[in-house]
Short mmCIF file of all heavy atoms in Angstrom, two decimals:
data_model
loop_
_atom_site.label_atom_id
_atom_site.label_comp_id
_atom_site.label_asym_id
_atom_site.label_seq_id
_atom_site.Cartn_x
_atom_site.Cartn_y
_atom_site.Cartn_z
N SER A 1 0.83 -1.20 0.00
CA SER A 1 0.00 0.00 0.00
C SER A 1 0.87 1.26 0.00
O SER A 1 2.00 1.25 0.50
CB SER A 1 -0.92 0.02 1.22
OG SER A 1 -0.17 0.05 2.41
N TYR A 2 0.34 2.34 -0.56
CA TYR A 2 1.11 3.56 -0.80
C TYR A 2 1.75 4.11 0.48
O TYR A 2 2.91 4.51 0.50
CB TYR A 2 0.21 4.61 -1.44
CG TYR A 2 0.90 5.93 -1.74
CD1 TYR A 2 1.85 6.01 -2.76
CD2 TYR A 2 0.63 7.07 -1.00
CE1 TYR A 2 2.50 7.21 -3.04
CE2 TYR A 2 1.27 8.26 -1.26
CZ TYR A 2 2.20 8.33 -2.28
OH TYR A 2 2.85 9.52 -2.54
N GLU A 3 0.98 4.13 1.57
CA GLU A 3 1.49 4.69 2.82
C GLU A 3 1.87 3.60 3.82
O GLU A 3 2.10 3.88 5.00
CB GLU A 3 0.46 5.64 3.43
CG GLU A 3 0.20 6.87 2.58
CD GLU A 3 -0.77 7.85 3.24
OE1 GLU A 3 -1.37 7.47 4.26
OE2 GLU A 3 -0.91 8.96 2.75
N GLY A 4 1.90 2.36 3.37
CA GLY A 4 2.33 1.28 4.25
C GLY A 4 1.29 0.85 5.27
O GLY A 4 1.61 0.12 6.21
N GLY A 5 0.03 1.30 5.10
CA GLY A 5 -1.04 0.93 6.03
C GLY A 5 -1.74 -0.35 5.59
O GLY A 5 -1.25 -1.09 4.74
N TYR A 6 -2.90 -0.58 6.17
CA TYR A 6 -3.65 -1.79 5.86
C TYR A 6 -4.32 -1.68 4.48
O TYR A 6 -4.73 -0.61 4.06
CB TYR A 6 -4.73 -2.03 6.91
CG TYR A 6 -4.24 -2.80 8.11
CD1 TYR A 6 -3.71 -2.14 9.21
CD2 TYR A 6 -4.32 -4.19 8.14
CE1 TYR A 6 -3.26 -2.85 10.33
CE2 TYR A 6 -3.88 -4.91 9.25
CZ TYR A 6 -3.35 -4.23 10.33
OH TYR A 6 -2.91 -4.94 11.41
N LYS A 7 -4.41 -2.83 3.83
CA LYS A 7 -5.22 -2.97 2.62
C LYS A 7 -6.43 -3.83 2.99
O LYS A 7 -6.27 -4.88 3.61
CB LYS A 7 -4.44 -3.64 1.49
CG LYS A 7 -3.32 -2.79 0.91
CD LYS A 7 -2.59 -3.52 -0.21
CE LYS A 7 -1.82 -4.71 0.35
NZ LYS A 7 -1.03 -5.39 -0.71
N ILE A 8 -7.59 -3.36 2.62
CA ILE A 8 -8.82 -4.07 2.98
C ILE A 8 -9.61 -4.39 1.70
O ILE A 8 -9.90 -3.49 0.91
CB ILE A 8 -9.70 -3.24 3.94
CG1 ILE A 8 -8.90 -2.92 5.22
CG2 ILE A 8 -10.98 -4.00 4.28
CD1 ILE A 8 -9.63 -1.99 6.16
N TYR A 9 -9.94 -5.65 1.53
CA TYR A 9 -10.73 -6.09 0.39
C TYR A 9 -12.09 -6.55 0.90
O TYR A 9 -12.18 -7.37 1.81
CB TYR A 9 -10.04 -7.25 -0.34
CG TYR A 9 -8.71 -6.89 -0.95
CD1 TYR A 9 -7.53 -7.00 -0.20
CD2 TYR A 9 -8.62 -6.42 -2.26
CE1 TYR A 9 -6.31 -6.66 -0.75
CE2 TYR A 9 -7.40 -6.08 -2.82
CZ TYR A 9 -6.24 -6.20 -2.05
OH TYR A 9 -5.03 -5.86 -2.59
N ILE A 10 -13.14 -6.02 0.28
CA ILE A 10 -14.50 -6.42 0.65
C ILE A 10 -15.11 -7.16 -0.53
O ILE A 10 -15.28 -6.59 -1.61
CB ILE A 10 -15.37 -5.20 1.03
CG1 ILE A 10 -14.74 -4.45 2.22
CG2 ILE A 10 -16.79 -5.64 1.36
CD1 ILE A 10 -15.48 -3.19 2.60
N LEU A 11 -15.43 -8.42 -0.34
CA LEU A 11 -16.05 -9.24 -1.39
C LEU A 11 -17.52 -9.43 -1.05
O LEU A 11 -17.87 -10.14 -0.10
CB LEU A 11 -15.35 -10.61 -1.50
CG LEU A 11 -14.06 -10.68 -2.31
CD1 LEU A 11 -12.97 -9.83 -1.68
CD2 LEU A 11 -13.59 -12.12 -2.43
N TRP A 12 -18.36 -8.77 -1.82
CA TRP A 12 -19.80 -8.78 -1.58
C TRP A 12 -20.44 -10.01 -2.22
O TRP A 12 -20.11 -10.37 -3.34
CB TRP A 12 -20.42 -7.50 -2.16
CG TRP A 12 -21.83 -7.27 -1.75
CD1 TRP A 12 -22.95 -7.62 -2.44
CD2 TRP A 12 -22.28 -6.63 -0.55
NE1 TRP A 12 -24.08 -7.25 -1.74
CE2 TRP A 12 -23.68 -6.63 -0.58
CE3 TRP A 12 -21.62 -6.06 0.53
CZ2 TRP A 12 -24.45 -6.08 0.44
CZ3 TRP A 12 -22.39 -5.51 1.54
CH2 TRP A 12 -23.78 -5.52 1.49
N MET A 13 -21.38 -10.65 -1.51
CA MET A 13 -22.09 -11.83 -1.99
C MET A 13 -21.11 -12.94 -2.41
O MET A 13 -21.14 -13.46 -3.52
CB MET A 13 -23.00 -11.47 -3.17
CG MET A 13 -24.08 -10.47 -2.83
SD MET A 13 -25.28 -11.08 -1.61
CE MET A 13 -26.24 -12.20 -2.61
N VAL A 14 -20.23 -13.29 -1.49
CA VAL A 14 -19.18 -14.26 -1.79
C VAL A 14 -19.74 -15.65 -2.09
O VAL A 14 -19.07 -16.48 -2.72
CB VAL A 14 -18.16 -14.32 -0.63
CG1 VAL A 14 -18.77 -15.02 0.59
CG2 VAL A 14 -16.87 -15.00 -1.05
N GLU A 15 -20.99 -15.92 -1.70
CA GLU A 15 -21.58 -17.23 -2.01
C GLU A 15 -21.83 -17.39 -3.51
O GLU A 15 -22.10 -18.49 -3.99
CB GLU A 15 -22.88 -17.45 -1.22
CG GLU A 15 -24.02 -16.52 -1.59
CD GLU A 15 -24.10 -15.32 -0.68
OE1 GLU A 15 -23.04 -14.73 -0.40
OE2 GLU A 15 -25.21 -14.97 -0.25
N ARG A 16 -21.73 -16.29 -4.26
CA ARG A 16 -21.91 -16.36 -5.72
C ARG A 16 -20.59 -16.43 -6.47
O ARG A 16 -20.56 -16.32 -7.69
CB ARG A 16 -22.71 -15.14 -6.20
CG ARG A 16 -24.13 -15.10 -5.64
CD ARG A 16 -24.95 -14.00 -6.25
NE ARG A 16 -26.28 -13.95 -5.67
CZ ARG A 16 -27.22 -13.10 -6.05
NH1 ARG A 16 -26.97 -12.19 -6.97
NH2 ARG A 16 -28.41 -13.11 -5.47
N LEU A 17 -19.51 -16.61 -5.76
CA LEU A 17 -18.20 -16.74 -6.38
C LEU A 17 -18.18 -17.97 -7.28
O LEU A 17 -18.60 -19.05 -6.88
CB LEU A 17 -17.13 -16.88 -5.28
CG LEU A 17 -15.68 -16.97 -5.74
CD1 LEU A 17 -15.22 -15.64 -6.31
CD2 LEU A 17 -14.79 -17.36 -4.56
N TYR A 18 -17.74 -17.78 -8.51
CA TYR A 18 -17.70 -18.89 -9.46
C TYR A 18 -16.82 -20.02 -8.91
O TYR A 18 -15.74 -19.77 -8.37
CB TYR A 18 -17.13 -18.43 -10.80
CG TYR A 18 -18.05 -17.57 -11.63
CD1 TYR A 18 -19.30 -17.16 -11.14
CD2 TYR A 18 -17.70 -17.17 -12.91
CE1 TYR A 18 -20.14 -16.37 -11.89
CE2 TYR A 18 -18.54 -16.38 -13.68
CZ TYR A 18 -19.76 -15.99 -13.17
OH TYR A 18 -20.59 -15.20 -13.92
N HIS A 19 -17.25 -21.26 -9.12
CA HIS A 19 -16.47 -22.40 -8.64
C HIS A 19 -15.09 -22.43 -9.28
O HIS A 19 -14.11 -22.82 -8.64
CB HIS A 19 -17.22 -23.71 -8.93
CG HIS A 19 -18.38 -23.93 -8.00
ND1 HIS A 19 -18.51 -25.09 -7.26
CD2 HIS A 19 -19.45 -23.16 -7.67
CE1 HIS A 19 -19.61 -25.03 -6.53
NE2 HIS A 19 -20.20 -23.87 -6.77
N ALA A 20 -15.02 -22.04 -10.54
CA ALA A 20 -13.74 -22.06 -11.23
C ALA A 20 -12.80 -20.98 -10.71
O ALA A 20 -11.57 -21.10 -10.81
CB ALA A 20 -13.96 -21.87 -12.74
N ALA A 21 -13.38 -19.90 -10.14
CA ALA A 21 -12.57 -18.78 -9.66
C ALA A 21 -12.09 -18.98 -8.24
O ALA A 21 -11.04 -18.45 -7.85
CB ALA A 21 -13.38 -17.48 -9.75
N ALA A 22 -12.82 -19.74 -7.45
CA ALA A 22 -12.51 -19.90 -6.03
C ALA A 22 -11.08 -20.37 -5.75
O ALA A 22 -10.41 -19.83 -4.87
CB ALA A 22 -13.51 -20.85 -5.38
N PRO A 23 -10.57 -21.39 -6.49
CA PRO A 23 -9.20 -21.86 -6.21
C PRO A 23 -8.14 -20.76 -6.32
O PRO A 23 -7.10 -20.85 -5.67
CB PRO A 23 -8.99 -22.94 -7.27
CG PRO A 23 -10.35 -23.43 -7.60
CD PRO A 23 -11.22 -22.22 -7.52
N LYS A 24 -8.42 -19.75 -7.12
CA LYS A 24 -7.48 -18.65 -7.28
C LYS A 24 -7.23 -17.92 -5.97
O LYS A 24 -6.13 -17.40 -5.72
CB LYS A 24 -8.02 -17.65 -8.32
CG LYS A 24 -7.86 -18.08 -9.76
CD LYS A 24 -6.50 -17.68 -10.29
CE LYS A 24 -6.38 -17.93 -11.78
NZ LYS A 24 -5.03 -17.57 -12.26
N LEU A 25 -8.27 -17.85 -5.12
CA LEU A 25 -8.18 -17.06 -3.90
C LEU A 25 -7.75 -17.86 -2.67
O LEU A 25 -7.42 -17.27 -1.64
CB LEU A 25 -9.53 -16.40 -3.60
CG LEU A 25 -9.95 -15.21 -4.47
CD1 LEU A 25 -11.32 -14.73 -4.04
CD2 LEU A 25 -8.94 -14.08 -4.37
#
């Protein structure tokens, strides 16, 4: 991160994540 602080990712409706995409994460 630019200032060395926390990076926060919010994944909305994660139950709809594609099965093919899940292994990536």
